[in-house]
Amino acid sequence: MRVCLFVEPHRGATYDTQLNFARHTEDAGFEGLLRADHYRALTPEPGLPGPTDAWITLAGLARETRTLRIGTLVNSATFRMPGPLSIMVAQVDQMSGGRVELGMGAGWVEREHTAYGIPFPAVGERFDRLEEQLEILTGLWGTPEGQSYSFDGKHYHLVDAPALPRPVQRPHPPIIIGGKGPRRTPDLAARYADEYNMPFKTVAETAAAFDRVRAACDKSGRQLTLSAGIVVAIGRTDAEAARRAAPLHVKSVLPPEDPVEGSPAQLVQRIEEMRAIGASRVHLRMIEMDDLDHIDLIASEVLPQLSK
């Protein structure tokens, strides 16, 4: 089982806080650290000191970590044009020596778009744009050296793009498609992704989502890594676990989730349940980024149990 951590800096985290968290995650032996791509907190609080851009942050982490895989879970297709995004991702992949992963999603929080003047079309158009972006990204990165790439879609038009720079990972950095959508999400994952991620739901809901993706993969002839997101608040005592879980019970626009609140043994059990339905990777969502002891607890009491 491959284990990564996942964080939400829009809740309130400076770059230095994220760097300390990343270095601690790397030293503790986790495979990777992926971060959300949001420009506003999802709770009533403002998330001080304010948002940090995902790719600016990842560029910094790329130069200040050594082995940790880094990326987005997931990049919002509404925030960036696909051509410049291909340059950002390829450059950060170079800066990291080939450790970047690109999670892609359609975008869903309207108020962060209106707050910063970002267009927020209807959900059907957002998925149409996501599909075109995925085709453009893989098309640019798959263009033979010395040739150019053009694309004429409904929403994006590229003419003789030089398809540069090249990412270190070939044919491209791993693409993760995450989400709960029952139709278009599995189809896009089967066509474009290297990994499908079901975020923060019950084992039964995750199993159903995996089955939808497997069915789509049967049609496309491709096989994907299946991964599960798990919200984590564990402790050595009930009181410690309750303290870590407290932020989960603050009013938020997030949909209902199924967190693990309790002991390390409960987290081991949940991960093994996800393994049993086909997950070979988990992304553990950590709540407080200054709680480095939480990382140490999982590293010492959970990771060793998963190797048995």
Side-chain angles (χ1 to χ4, degrees):
M1 178 63 70
R2 301 160 59 195
V3 182
C4 299
L5 301 185
F6 169 72
V7 293
E8 298 182 318
H10 54 278
R11 290 174 177 265
T14 65
Y15 172 74
D16 286 340
T17 297
Q18 294 175 72
L19 173 60
N20 289 338
F21 192 96
R23 286 174 167 166
H24 209 84
T25 300
E26 182 174 72
D27 291 342
F30 292 89
E31 178 186 69
L33 172 64
L34 282 75
R35 59 156 284 165
D37 185 27
H38 286 296
Y39 286 133
R40 278 195 71 166
L42 305 184
T43 56
E45 292 73 26
L48 297 175
T52 53
D53 182 82
W55 286 100
I56 291 175
T57 300
L58 292 169
L61 298 182
R63 303 303 289 178
E64 299 192 79
T65 55
R66 306 175 306 280
T67 60
L68 193 69
R69 297 197 65 79
I70 56 175
T72 52
L73 193 69
V74 291
N75 205 87
S76 176
T78 55
F79 288 172
R80 303 168 188 87
M81 300 292 284
L85 178 61
S86 75
I87 295 171
M88 294 179 203
V89 177
Q91 183 177 0
V92 178
D93 197 46
Q94 291 180 356
M95 293 168 70
S96 70
R99 293 183 282 119
V100 160
E101 305 193 10
L102 172 64
M104 289 292 293
W108 63 279
V109 183
E110 183 174 8
R111 70 173 188 167
E112 66 182 338
H113 292 75
T114 56
Y116 288 100
I118 303 169
F120 188 72
V123 63
E125 181 178 330
R126 298 202 305 274
F127 269 95
D128 291 342
R129 288 179 176 273
L130 172 61
E131 182 173 355
E132 288 193 14
Q133 289 199 11
L134 289 164
E135 184 170 348
I136 290 167
L137 290 165
T138 54
L140 284 166
W141 290 330
T143 298
E145 190 169 350
Q147 297 185 25
S148 61
Y149 175 81
S150 296
F151 178 84
D152 187 21
K154 181 178 179 180
H155 300 286
Y156 304 105
H157 306 274
L158 285 72
V159 180
D160 295 333
L164 295 172
R166 301 278 174 169
V168 172
Q169 299 175 90
R170 304 300 297 160
H172 52 70
I175 294 174
I176 306 169
I177 292 182
K180 302 177 287 293
R183 184 176 62 86
R184 295 193 70 177
T185 298
D187 176 67
L188 291 175
R191 291 169 58 193
Y192 294 106
D194 302 285
E195 175 179 334
Y196 166 75
N197 176 259
M198 177 60 164
F200 318 125
K201 290 296 186 178
T202 66
V203 175
E205 290 172 300
T206 303
F210 285 178
D211 286 343
R212 291 191 292 268
V213 171
R214 289 188 185 101
C217 286
D218 287 343
K219 296 177 182 178
S220 69
R222 300 180 68 242
Q223 296 298 317
L224 308 180
T225 295
L226 299 176
S227 68
I230 304 173
V231 182
V232 177
I234 64 171
R236 298 172 184 85
T237 65
D238 291 345
E240 187 175 70
R243 173 179 59 79
R244 288 184 168 134
L248 297 175
H249 304 289
V250 174
K251 183 180 178 181
S252 169
V253 300
L254 286 170
E257 299 171 332
D258 189 40
V260 175
E261 304 178 33
S263 68
Q266 288 173 275
L267 179 54
V268 171
Q269 179 180 347
R270 177 68 62 84
I271 293 173
E272 294 299 343
E273 290 171 344
M274 293 299 188
R275 189 203 300 268
I277 62 170
S280 59
R281 196 183 200 197
V282 290
H283 300 274
L284 308 181
R285 193 178 99 198
M286 310 292 281
I287 303 163
E288 299 292 346
M289 293 190 65
D290 56 358
D291 185 3
L292 302 182
D293 180 65
H294 203 185
I295 298 175
D296 293 336
L297 177 60
I298 296 172
S300 62
E301 301 294 330
V302 176
L303 294 189
Q305 301 300 317
L306 302 178
S307 63
K308 295 182 178 180

